[in-house]
Amino acid sequence: MSYSIYHDLVIKSDKLSVFKAISEPDHLEKWWPLKCSGIPQVGKEYNFNFTDTYDWYAKVQNCKTLEHIHYKMTKSDADWDSTSFGFDLNEVETGIQVKFWHINWRECNSNFKKSSFCWAMLLNGLKNYLELDIIIPFDNRS
C-alpha cells in the first residue's frame, strides 16, 4: 500500500507564468527551495537545496510546456526517495487550476503528514508569489 498527497488550487495568472514558477529554478526559489538548478526536460536532473543536510535531487519524469511537469525523487531522505510529485495545469474561468500530487509514500507517518501540511503552505506561497508578487523569505517557509 502507498499513500498520496493531493492539493488543487486556482491561481489568477496565465499558464506561462505558472509553468515557469513550477519548473524554472529562479522561480522555484521564490516559493520553495533555498537554491535550485535544473532544466524542464524529460530525464534532466534538478537539485532542490534547502540546507546542507537537505540537498535533494529529482529527475524530470514527464514534462510538456504549459501543461505539466512531474518529478521523481532520486536523492533525498528515506521517506521521500520512493516518491514522485507533479503539477498539472488547466485553464479555468478564474485563472489556472494547479492539480498538485505527491505519490508513492510508503507509510502514513509523521513525515508524510508534515509534508502534506507543508505542501499546502508552500502552494499558498506559490499562489501569493504569482498573484501578489509576495515572496516569503526562505526561513519563514514551513
Side-chain angles (χ1 to χ4, degrees), residues 39-108:
I39 299 169
Q41 294 176 1
V42 173
K44 297 294 183 180
E45 185 174 67
Y46 272 71
N47 174 223
F48 301 111
N49 179 278
F50 305 93
T51 65
D52 289 344
T53 305
Y54 296 96
D55 188 24
W56 292 359
Y57 291 84
K59 281 203 175 168
V60 178
Q61 283 184 307
N62 202 336
C63 182
K64 184 175 179 187
T65 303
L66 303 181
E67 300 297 323
H68 61 260
I69 189 162
H70 305 160
Y71 301 92
K72 168 73 175 102
M73 295 307 297
T74 58
K75 179 187 171 205
S76 54
D77 68 17
D79 287 320
W80 277 61
D81 266 349
S82 62
T83 68
S84 297
F85 66 94
F87 305 83
D88 298 310
L89 308 180
N90 297 300
E91 286 187 55
V92 294
E93 191 174 310
T94 55
I96 304 303
Q97 181 183 40
V98 178
K99 290 182 170 264
F100 171 83
W101 49 269
H102 192 165
I103 60 173
N104 295 327
W105 288 79
R106 290 187 188 120
E107 29 181 342
C108 184

Side-chain angles (χ1 to χ4, degrees), residues 5-7 80 100 102 105 109-125 140-142:
I5 297 167
Y6 296 98
H7 295 292
W80 277 61
F100 171 83
H102 192 165
W105 288 79
N109 60 15
S110 62
N111 198 7
F112 170 82
K113 293 172 185 176
K114 180 180 178 186
S115 293
S116 181
F117 174 79
C118 286
W119 273 124
M121 299 300 289
L122 290 163
L123 292 168
N124 189 57
N140 295 342
R141 299 176 200 163
S142 295

